[in-house]
Every structure is written in structure tokens, then in C-alpha cells.
Amino acid sequence: MKTQRLTMAQALVKHLAALRVEVEHLDGSTSVQPYCGGVFTIFGHGNVAGLGEALVAEREQLKTFRAHNEQTMAHAAIAFSKAQFRQRIMAVSTSIGPGATNLVTAAAVAHVNRLPVLLLPGDIFATRRPDPVLQQIENFAQGDNSASDCFRPVVRYFDRLTRPEQILTALPRAIQMMTDPANCGPACLSLPQDVQTMAFDCPEEFLNPGVLHWRRPPADARELAQAIALLRGAKRPLIVAGGGVLYSQAWAALRAFVEAHGVPVVESHGGKSSLPWDHALNLGAIGVDGVSAANELAREADVVFAVGTRLQDFTTGSHALFPSAKLLSLNVQPYDAGKWSGTALVADARVGLGQLETGLQGWAADAAWTARAKQLAQASNERITALTRNVPKDVLPYDAEVIGAVRDSAAELGLDSGTRDVALCAAGTLPAELHKLWRASLPGNYHMEYGYSCMGYEVAGGLGVKMARPDQESIVFVGDGSYMMANSELATSVLLGQKMIVVVLDNRGYGCIERLQRKTGSPSFNNMLDDCVPEGGERSTIDFAMHARSMGADAVHVKDVAELKAAMVQARRAKRTQVIVIDTTHTRTTDGGCWWEVAIPEVSTRSEVRAAYADYAQAQTQQRV
């Protein structure tokens, strides 16, 4: 067996640089591409000498990108994978200590959303010769404990390498987990800085790995028969499309199924863009921030067919939205397929939909149900047009009007926003508004991190999307509160020449949570900037446009929706990152929606809280427990 004398870090980097994957594109064609799109890193004493030396030697085969914050560079890597439908990854390398722990929140984002990212934090010396090293956390009871152990609960695979040759098994296992459709998620290889630099005789076959292929597991025959029987008995079926539709590239199979059987579709945050927004049987957003038509059908359906969704509480109205429906769950992950004690169909979404066709020939939903769904979908789209174009004068705009201006600005240049733009967001009121109102014509053109709903994901995520989809416009919608959480990758986008458009909606505080605070009976407290000024303090005068310009972006503060639309036209023509700031009000779209369980205190001196608790207790009686 031929070998090369390499350090552990050199073997790791060479393997990643050589690794290829078969990627399926939107049109169904395939190509072989590098599995790892690059490595984001901020060097420190835990990775600069070992992994850093290896990366510089392979910089032509595996690109290295410098960032400004460990958490947000990981967000960018996660967004890259999401935009690639999980088919490709990026790696993230940090030093030990704070560099490593800064990744933990991002690891949780990837874990909840079932997204792959390879985390490579530095770790303390395996030899323990300089123990305790700078930034080392000392556990008085566990000598082998380090900051990297924080990753164990929030990754799918964790390994701490204590010998250089361990990379031969650890890295393939991490990749196996990240490419497993059922268990896909973040993997962490914790790399002690001395082990990174240790040499061993590396087999050359490790440096020439085979091409990766995504498996598509079919359904069990017994489960398939049960699913077919359940659907054949349905008169008012409803499909809930989740992120699994996109990750399995099942949009064509879904469309064929819907049109063959007349079944209306509603979309979770993860599944939005599974069908074009104007498909006759696409009712749009479901759940707590769903449109009226989608939730109306959900309450009346006799069978809910959940395809690739983990049935998060925003999708199910905290288990109160489907009062009498039987549940069928097609999911590649048995854990998700078995939720609600429904009928499970464990399979790849695309394969499973195809298998169902064999036993469903001649079956269709009740004709009146299908016709009603089409009427509701058309009326809903007309309502969305009105909401996003009805801009009152002399008052601050709200999110719907901003969304409409961003969308319609594409037409000024002869472009179709539904196919051109990838809209991205993560937290606050904006996810609800975008779920209802954004129009996506192509799979993946709605990019919402709403599994962990991590404030600070947005700007970094927009960078990752642009790196994954350079020919599309990466448009970030972000509130002022989330922008302040993390914005430094604006500078990275300029540094890397990765242009994105960031629209900052400034309502002067945490408007979404303040509204929830008041709805649950509490007074406005500690959320809005002007309410949080103590004696001797000063009111906030943050100039977001000036801040963005200081980061290297072009930025402007517009006074109204008309100026926003004009600024968007110019931003689309630009070659570098653009930031547009607009003041907005706390108004929200009141159409649609459903109950969401937020616990209310049983005892309070406030009459508003007691009234909210009475409503809460009544709503709980509608839950399916």
C-alpha cells in the first residue's frame, strides 16, 4: 500500500480538497462538483500552525475564506448548504476557547434544521505538556474535558482526535453522517492543536476518495400499502410540503402527484417554494403565520399528508390546527415520520411519492374539494397583491409594503422576482410576513431559517446564499434588532466580492416580541429602544446606513416605499453589497394565522394577564394531545 508522510491536518485538507459529489440541478441534470465549497476560518493559536499550514498548501484546490466572527461564518456555511439542497458543504475552522464556543449556536442552527456543516474547532494539547494552555477551560472533575465538549448535544457526529491516524476513520464517518438523508446535520471533529501537526504514513487511497452519491431509500411494502389505503379513503386530503421536498429534489414529483389527484398543497417555512407560488393548487403558507385559505382547508381536511416536514408547532398551530384529520407522514427520518402517532411512510420524498402512484391510479380528491381549493388559492393571491401594493400616504410603511416594493422593483428591469431573487430571513415579524407574502417561482428561492429562528443569521446567511447561487440576487430582509445582533459579515461580503442586497426594517426595537409581550397581558417592557433609557442614559440614534457604509457597503436610508423601490432598482444594477434602510411601523398583516401556545402565568395581579390566561386555557382544549 502506497503512503505519504503527512500531518493529520494535511491529510484532512487533502481529502476534503479531492472529495467530489454528484449534484442534481433544478432542471434534473447532474454534474460532479467539489463536495466542500471551501473553508471559513479565523486563525488562532489552536489552528494557525497546523490546519493553517495545510490550508495554504492546498489553497488552489480548496479555497479558504477569512471572516469576522466564528458564529456568523458558520451561519454562512450553513446557508450555503441549504441553498445547495444539502448536496454540498463548507467547513469551518477555529482556534480553541472562545473561537470554538462561538460556533455552538451555529451548530444548533444546523442541527435543528437538519443541515450539514463540518466544524473543525481547535482543541487543547493532547499531550497536556503546556497544560493549562491559553484559553483552556479546566474542569476540576474531568481531566479530558474541554470547551469542545459543548458541541456534543448540538451535532450529529462528534469526535476528538488524539492520534493523527484517527483522521482515517473520523473524517469518513463525519462525511457519512452529513450525506445520510435521514441523519444529515452538523459534524464536529475536535482537533487538538498538537495532533494537527503530528505526522503519520497516510494511505494514498485516503487522498483519492470516490465520488459521493446521495441514497434514496424506498418505502417498506407494508407501510406503503397502509399509506395507499389511507389516501384512497380520503375525500378532503391536504398536503403539507416541508423542507424534505426540497432536500430530496421532489418538486416535480410533488407537482405530478398534486395534478394527478387534485390534492391542494400548503407549505411550511421549510417547504415554501416546493411549488410555484401561482400554481392553481398551491394555497401558500400554513400555520401560525399562514394565510387564511390554507388554514381554512387545514381545519376541514380529513387526511393531512405531511411530506418532508417535522411538524413544528408553527406548522400545526401547536397541534390545534388539524382537529379531525388523520395524519400520514412521508419522511426519510423515522423520528419525524412517527410524530403525532400517525401513519408513517419512511422513505425519500421523491421515491415515496413515485411509489404511491402505483397504488393510487384512478383515485382523486373530491371534485368539489379540489375546485374550492383552486378558488381559495386565486382569491388568496389577489389578496396578497392588494396587501403588498396598497401603500397609504403620510404614515410609516409596514413589512408587507416593503416586501411588495422589493418584489416589484425587479419588473422595473424586466426581471421576474420569483425566479431571480432568493429572499432570506430568520427572526422577528418578518418571517411571518414573508411566509404569507413572498412569491417564489423556483425551488429554494425562499430561504428561511425558522427551525432555530436565530437572530443574527440573516446577513451571514445572505453571504452563504450568494456563494452558493452566484447568478441569483441574494436579498436579505432583516429587522434592526437582528441586524444589531450580527452584521460583521457585511464586510466579508465586500472583501470576497460577493454582492448581496440587505434591506433593514427599523422599527426601533424588538417589535415582534414586544407585540407578543403585550398580547400575553404584560405591559411593554425592555423591548423597544425608547422604553429602555434609564436615568442618565441617552436615546438611541443608531444610523444603520452610516454603519453599513463604514463596513464597505453602499448604503442609503430611504424615507418611504417609493424611494425604497427606486433604491432597489439601483441596488439590482450594482456590483457590490447594498444596504437599504427604511423606518417601519409595528403593524402586521392580520389576515390568516392561528393559535400558538405561549405559556401564560396562572397567577398575576394584572387583569390583562388573567384574561390572557383564560383565553389560553380555553385554546388548550382544542389541542390534539
Side-chain angles (χ1 to χ4, degrees), residues 211-532:
V211 176
L212 298 171
H213 301 273
W214 281 81
R215 71 174 67 92
R216 294 185 177 277
D220 171 77
R222 180 184 56 81
E223 289 187 351
L224 183 62
Q226 290 178 332
I228 289 170
L230 181 58
L231 286 170
R232 276 200 167 276
K235 301 294 184 183
R236 302 183 306 280
L238 180 71
I239 291 175
V240 180
V245 175
L246 298 173
Y247 297 146
S248 68
Q249 296 93 50
W251 43 80
L254 177 67
R255 182 169 190 156
F257 187 95
V258 165
E259 293 173 354
H261 305 293
V263 184
V265 174
V266 295
E267 298 173 317
S268 70
H269 275 291
K272 188 176 173 73
S273 75
S274 295
L275 286 179
W277 68 270
D278 56 353
H279 189 281
L281 282 169
N282 186 353
L283 276 293
I286 181 74
V288 174
D289 45 26
V291 298
S292 300
N295 287 347
E296 183 178 332
L297 289 190
R299 294 185 180 97
E300 299 175 16
D302 59 1
V303 171
V304 169
F305 182 17
V307 182
T309 171
R310 63 192 186 95
L311 296 173
Q312 183 222 32
D313 63 343
F314 254 59
T315 303
T316 67
S318 297
H319 291 196
L321 188 55
F322 313 130
S324 58
K326 296 177 181 178
L327 178 68
L328 169 64
S329 287
L330 168 57
N331 204 295
V332 74
Q333 171 52 256
Y335 180 90
D336 291 322
K339 288 177 178 174
W340 277 33
S341 299
T343 299
L345 183 61
V346 179
D348 171 82
R350 190 165 83 186
V351 172
L353 286 169
Q355 288 180 288
L356 285 170
E357 284 297 322
T358 303
L360 290 175
Q361 295 297 319
W363 169 78
D366 185 85
W369 174 256
T370 302
R372 180 161 166 253
K374 290 180 177 179
Q375 292 172 353
L376 287 172
Q378 182 177 351
S380 182
N381 282 328
E382 292 171 356
R383 176 61 175 159
I384 288 170
T385 298
L387 287 168
T388 53
R389 287 181 176 163
N390 180 26
V391 182
K393 295 181 179 180
D394 303 322
V395 296
L396 285 177
Y398 87 106
D399 298 359
E401 296 145 6
V402 171
I403 291 168
V406 171
R407 178 197 66 213
D408 292 345
S409 65
E412 299 290 319
L413 298 173
L415 303 172
D416 176 14
S417 177
T419 57
R420 174 70 177 172
D421 300 339
V422 179
L424 181 143
C425 191
T429 303
L430 276 164
E433 298 296 319
L434 287 162
H435 194 200
K436 290 179 183 178
L437 306 175
W438 186 256
R439 288 171 164 169
S441 300
L442 290 178
N445 280 18
Y446 176 82
H447 185 117
M448 184 64 64
E449 192 290 284
Y450 213 62
Y452 212 50
S453 188
C454 184
M455 296 179 72
Y457 175 89
E458 295 91 342
V459 171
L463 170 61
V465 166
K466 189 63 178 180
M467 296 175 79
R469 296 182 167 203
D471 296 330
Q472 290 187 268
E473 205 74 80
S474 176
I475 300 181
V476 176
F477 290 86
V478 60
D480 57 294
S482 206
Y483 178 90
M484 288 294 289
M485 286 273 184
N487 50 55
S488 59
E489 305 314 342
L490 270 180
T492 305
S493 74
V494 176
L495 179 72
L496 300 181
Q498 299 287 345
K499 175 237 179 168
M500 56 183 174
I501 300 174
V502 180
V503 182
V504 181
L505 290 80
D506 184 3
N507 63 13
R508 312 304 293 169
Y510 303 136
C512 175
I513 209 68
E514 190 265 352
R515 187 167 56 251
L516 179 61
Q517 183 178 53
R518 295 176 64 182
K519 185 178 180 180
T520 55
S522 295
S524 180
F525 174 67
N526 203 49
N527 281 310
M528 306 313 294
L529 289 171
D530 290 345
D531 298 334
C532 299

Side-chain angles (χ1 to χ4, degrees), residues 46 51 173 183 185 195 313 340 404 445 580 621:
L51 200 59
R173 285 173 181 171
N183 296 308
V195 178
D313 63 343
W340 277 33
N445 280 18
I580 305 171
T621 65

